Amino acid sequence: MRNIMQPRFLVLYGSQKGQAQSIAEGIAEDAQDNGLVAELKCLNQTDEFNLEKENAPVVFIVSTTGDGEPPDNALKFVKDIKTKTFSTDHYKHLCYALLALGDTNYANFCNCGKTIERPAVLNFSYADDGVGLEVVVDPWLEGLWKAIKGALSKMASNWTTGPPVGNCGIESVKTQTGHAGDPQEGSLTHSLPPLSESSLNVPALPPPYLDVSLEDVDTMKEVRTFESVCKVPICRAVQLTRGDSVKTALLLELDITAHTTLAYEPGDSFDVFCPNRDTEVEEILSKLGLREKRNHSVHVSLKKDTKKRGAQVPSYIPQNISLLTLLTWCLEIRSVPKKAFLRALVEHTGDSVQRRRLQELCSKQGTADYNLYVRDPSLSTLELLTAFPSCLPPLSLLIEHLPKLQPRPYSASSSRLKHPGKLLFVFNVVDFPECTGRWAGKRGLCTGWLFDLINRGLDFPGRVERSGSLTLPMVHVSLRSNGSFRPPSDLTVPFIMVGPGTGVAPFIGFLQQRYGKQENPDVVFGETWLFFGCRHKDRDYLFREDLEGFVSSGVLNHLKVCFSRDDQEQEKEEEKKVTTSVARPRYVQHNLLLNSQYISDILLKQKGYIYVCGDAKNMAKDVNEALIEMIKTQMQVDQLEAMKTLAGLREEKRYLQDIWA
Ligand code: FAD
């Protein structure tokens, strides 16, 4: 029952992976300490709030997924505000704060937050996962209470008691001194002064909210449902890179003949559902002391007296599930523990030195160490638990804090015209190097799993040795349609594709599709350009034969390829002989700039399209900057004008990205 004397405010979140939701929940929990009452709602619960009539402050926490898409549970809300024609002062009465989560590696950074953003804002921020959400989120949260209270006192006519000055949900922890040994170097488990000697502000303890029990059942009918997911065989696997290449790229072919729901178009991607590694699941079971109970049935319910606002049993935990299945298929046991989780783990850590270090890592003062030892190396929860052996959390805590095990998306690299009944995709096997807390390197979860699945039947370049007798490995997949990342429907329109490394994948599908339509003698096909890049011509030039084949058949008019490492080596050789004044293009953006005149003609005069696919970390940003430079020079305009022109292309959906971190 809410205290009617306490002023209320509304917290609305839209969250894909749970980050925005957990920040929103944290705010709702801290409200009480600030003398306020928070109503927590998900943005899709549109019948439970009414912004038209809302007169209390509203706090929005929204994330952005993919190329600027709203999270699934905010789709309807965002669609409504985009499509309904509101007057400019429609939400003028609304007093709200906004926190938009995103990643500047994506060009449409925080797009969902920007869509919601209007005037009349209390306090708003864009938090960047590219550099660490905490950098923005922590100060934003600190400013939030002041802003809400300020707004409420302006609306003071409808409340009688002033809000008490709260402690912002931060609890003080006194320094403990004298931990064993005095290591010279900092590490995950050891800190150095000044952190080791300072007082700490650690987050408030997240209230427990789940009761978990295990039941020994004789026979359990386990129902593990995958929504609209198909189980398909991997019928071919090829290693596209040479053995001495830095990265290992693999091409897999799936047989989708039996599944009409997987009818994909070039440009679409699809989800692969992978399990956690069985060795890691076993380690977690040991850590929890539950190895003998792995086949017990898990019952999860809400704690009756929980203080957590808006607490719910996570929707991704089905009934009638064994502990083993829960840890294998439902929870991301490799997720990087958030500070709130570290805070909760402190309570289950026996050793005082380890407790102190966990407190440091989740504290405000320990942010640099948290980033260095936990966030940047993507330290998994299991690795953390192993490094802190006296930390023995209960199963319920893991279920409360570990996010849903997400499927991994991959871009289709085929066209059904060329490969009827087949779906091809290509990926790099992700490698995590060892670090403090990780004794040996490891592979990415999904790419490592796929690699192990197909390893026995793999075709290596120049060595075909698949045995027909092997049973085909099966994977669960579902289609993720991407309505806009498609080749132009008008075949006469020219387009440019930029896809270094595995980013070339969807363009193989584009070109196969175009090849299939080439017989039409009445069409004058628009020009096609492809910019590809890799390290070495003879080690990781993916799809080389296919691309050269497209050029010979006239499907691809211009193939521009650069090799970032070969060129360097060649340049060094040349430097020794004569100095050459012509800089070689090393990356796709250099090649784009070398062809500025043509590219800008296609985009600015011929209403053509440009598609960019692949690594979001550097490439997409560099290409974006190259395009701005190009527009500046070709149109003789300043930076701002060039940025506007590029934004216009994006708006018209003629500049499209499909990028991933
Ligand atoms: P995970 O175990 O999930 O680990 C990857 C994560 O770890 C990354 O988030 C990264 O931040 C982090 N990380 C990686 N290396 C390190 C390191 N050295 N140190 C610290 N942290 C690190 N990938 C392809 O290869 N081909 C595709 O066609 C493709 N298409 C995609 C399409 C879309 C729409 C999206 C969103 C992604 C796509 N991806 C593609 C990426 C793919 O979904 C996976 O993210 C990727 O294969 C890694 O999965 P994983 O489970 O093996 O790695």
Side-chain angles (χ1 to χ4, degrees):
M1 181 70 74
R2 121 173 149 83
N3 176 353
I4 53 164
M5 299 306 281
Q6 282 182 322
R8 69 175 264 282
F9 68 102
L10 185 60
V11 185
L12 297 175
Y13 65 85
S15 187
Q16 191 70 24
K17 294 189 181 169
Q19 250 163 345
Q21 181 176 351
S22 83
I23 294 171
E25 288 168 355
I27 292 172
E29 273 152 25
D30 290 348
Q32 193 74 35
D33 293 346
N34 283 275
L36 305 171
V37 171
E39 269 178 40
L40 179 70
K41 306 278 175 217
C42 175
L43 276 166
N44 65 2
Q45 296 171 296
T46 42
D47 46 353
E48 294 186 28
F49 61 90
N50 183 352
L51 293 183
E52 268 71 22
K53 296 200 177 134
E54 187 58 69
N55 54 15
V58 183
V59 178
F60 290 94
I61 316 283
V62 283
S63 63
T64 297
T65 66
D67 188 19
E69 303 301 322
D72 291 344
N73 59 15
L75 268 177
K76 186 178 173 314
F77 177 82
V78 172
K79 197 169 155 222
D80 277 359
I81 55 173
K82 270 173 114 173
T83 50
K84 282 186 190 163
T85 30
F86 293 138
S87 66
T88 47
D89 59 359
H90 185 79
Y91 283 125
K92 207 171 150 209
H93 64 285
L94 212 58
C95 176
Y96 70 89
L98 170 74
L99 177 67
L101 309 185
D103 188 329
T104 37
N105 291 313
Y106 293 81
N108 269 340
F109 173 58
C110 290
N111 195 37
C112 179
K114 287 175 183 167
T115 308
I116 296 173
E117 179 194 329
R118 290 182 188 230
V121 167
L122 286 173
N123 172 357
F124 75 87
S125 268
Y126 300 121
D128 180 5
D129 207 12
V131 296
L133 291 177
E134 263 102 3
V135 177
V136 172
V137 175
D138 289 350
W140 183 86
L141 286 174
E142 273 170 34
L144 180 71
W145 298 113
K146 203 167 154 220
I148 294 181
K149 288 171 190 173
L152 282 164
S153 40
K154 280 195 192 138
M155 303 167 174
S157 54
N158 41 6
W159 51 295
T160 48
T161 52
V165 180
N167 65 359
C168 306
I170 303 278
E171 144 197 340
S172 261
V173 174
K174 277 265 169 255
T175 317
Q176 297 164 10
T177 48
H179 46 80
D182 196 9
Q184 296 304 302
E185 275 182 42
S187 73
L188 174 66
T189 46
H190 294 288
S191 63
L192 296 177
L195 180 62
S196 58
E197 286 160 7
S198 73
S199 291
L200 303 173
N201 294 108
V202 300
L205 181 66
Y209 68 101
L210 293 178
D211 278 328
V212 177
S213 61
L214 295 174
E215 196 187 340
D216 189 4
V217 279
D218 287 342
T219 46
M220 189 172 49
K221 254 223 231 118
E222 221 175 316
V223 226
R224 187 158 52 85
T225 47
F226 284 117
E227 295 148 29
S228 55
V229 171
C230 307
K231 192 173 175 188
V232 297
I234 300 175
C235 53
R236 193 164 67 100
V238 183
Q239 180 169 328
L240 298 182
T241 42
R242 231 172 57 174
D244 55 355
S245 168
V246 172
K247 290 184 182 169
T248 303
L250 302 176
L251 172 88
L252 299 195
E253 183 174 307
L254 306 178
D255 184 347
I256 56 165
T257 331
H259 302 276
T260 47
T261 52
L262 291 178
Y264 66 98
E265 294 297 322
D268 281 342
S269 44
F270 63 96
D271 282 332
V272 172
F273 292 77
C274 63
N276 284 311
R277 287 190 91 81
D278 47 8
T279 47
E280 292 174 21
V281 171
E282 284 303 317
E283 279 176 60
I284 286 264
L285 282 168
S286 296
K287 191 79 199 167
L288 294 169
L290 294 174
R291 286 188 76 149
E292 308 310 317
K293 298 194 175 171
R294 61 164 69 78
N295 293 320
H296 285 203
S297 163
V298 185
H299 298 277
V300 182
S301 58
L302 265 193
K303 252 191 195 321
K304 292 218 170 58
D305 52 353
T306 180
K307 296 214 166 51
K308 183 181 166 74
R309 300 208 160 250
Q312 281 170 3
V313 174
S315 58
Y316 46 86
I317 299 185
Q319 298 293 327
N320 276 332
I321 192 173
S322 72
L323 177 57
L324 188 65
T325 310
L326 173 81
L327 294 174
T328 307
W329 289 98
C330 303
L331 304 177
E332 182 99 42
I333 61 174
R334 281 214 180 167
S335 64
V336 179
K338 305 235 170 61
K339 284 188 170 184
F341 190 14
L342 296 182
R343 172 66 190 87
L345 288 174
V346 170
E347 303 305 299
H348 304 278
T349 307
D351 178 84
S352 63
V353 175
Q354 293 175 20
R355 276 173 72 88
R356 162 72 195 189
R357 185 58 177 149
L358 286 173
Q359 284 168 338
E360 284 172 1
L361 289 171
C362 68
S363 71
K364 209 167 144 187
Q365 292 77 2
T367 295
D369 272 21
Y370 173 80
N371 288 342
L372 184 64
Y373 298 119
V374 181
R375 181 185 171 274
D376 295 347
S378 296
L379 198 78
S380 75
T381 299
L382 178 60
E383 284 159 347
L384 184 104
L385 292 177
T386 310
F388 290 85
S390 79
C391 177
L392 300 168
L395 174 62
S396 59
L397 196 78
L398 260 57
I399 302 181
E400 283 170 356
H401 287 270
L402 292 177
K404 178 186 177 190
L405 176 58
Q406 296 281 353
R408 274 41 174 184
Y410 294 93
S411 308
S413 68
S414 51
S415 151
R416 286 183 296 138
L417 288 183
K418 167 102 195 278
H419 297 279
K422 299 286 175 356
L423 167 57
L424 279 71
F425 68 106
V426 58
F427 62 92
N428 280 325
V429 180
V430 170
D431 277 313
F432 293 90
E434 54 182 84
C435 61
T436 147
R438 180 183 302 138
W439 318 119
K442 65 175 183 187
R443 295 205 178 100
L445 184 67
C446 185
T447 55
W449 174 68
L450 288 170
F451 181 81
D452 291 346
L453 266 187
I454 48 103
N455 203 7
R456 286 179 308 152
L458 200 57
D459 291 347
F460 289 91
R463 181 161 70 96
V464 179
E465 54 150 24
R466 275 195 70 242
S467 149
S469 61
L470 289 175
T471 10
L472 297 179
M474 307 289 279
V475 283
H476 288 93
V477 297
S478 74
L479 187 62
R480 281 166 68 112
S481 195
N482 182 347
S484 53
F485 201 82
R486 296 257 191 276
S489 51
D490 180 349
L491 296 171
T492 66
V493 172
F495 64 94
I496 302 144
M497 296 160 280
V498 184
T502 48
V504 72
F507 305 133
I508 300 296
F510 279 28
L511 293 166
Q512 287 178 352
Q513 175 109 335
R514 199 166 171 90
Y515 182 80
K517 293 183 175 170
Q518 229 189 5
E519 281 110 56
N520 190 343
D522 303 331
V523 179
V524 182
F525 284 86
E527 264 195 353
T528 49
W529 290 70
L530 177 74
F531 291 84
F532 177 78
C534 60
R535 285 166 193 250
H536 299 283
K537 189 175 190 170
D538 53 359
R539 290 185 219 171
D540 55 353
Y541 185 170
L542 310 182
F543 297 105
R544 180 175 178 177
E545 278 171 25
D546 304 64
L547 292 173
E548 289 173 352
F550 290 131
V551 174
S552 316
S553 64
V555 173
L556 180 60
N557 305 103
H558 305 274
L559 173 61
K560 301 287 172 193
V561 186
C562 52
F563 307 102
S564 58
R565 301 301 196 273
D566 282 349
D567 291 347
Q568 257 179 337
E569 278 151 28
Q570 219 166 318
E571 263 167 31
K572 270 189 217 144
E573 280 305 304
E574 277 168 15
E575 266 168 34
K576 279 185 216 154
K577 293 182 213 152
V578 256
T579 43
T580 159
S581 57
V582 186
R584 284 169 190 280
R586 282 177 56 196
Y587 297 107
V588 281
Q589 64 271 21
H590 301 149
N591 251 339
L592 275 169
L593 286 169
L594 283 178
N595 293 279
S596 289
Q597 180 75 56
Y598 303 105
I599 304 303
S600 44
D601 253 29
I602 289 176
L603 295 179
L604 306 172
K605 297 196 180 139
Q606 303 175 42
K607 292 254 165 215
Y609 287 58
I610 182 162
Y611 302 85
V612 181
C613 180
D615 161 45
K617 262 208 175 100
N618 304 307
M619 184 275 296
K621 261 194 233 166
D622 293 341
V623 166
N624 197 68
E625 272 160 33
L627 291 173
I628 292 174
E629 272 319 298
M630 194 181 293
I631 296 173
K632 269 163 71 178
T633 317
Q634 299 296 325
M635 291 177 68
Q636 296 287 303
V637 291
D638 63 14
Q639 176 85 7
L640 189 63
E641 211 42 52
M643 285 167 78
K644 276 193 201 157
T645 306
L646 200 57
L649 288 178
R650 198 186 282 284
E651 194 83 349
E652 289 173 38
K653 300 225 174 276
R654 292 199 290 119
Y655 173 20
L656 292 151
Q657 290 181 318
D658 188 12
I659 53 175
W660 57 83

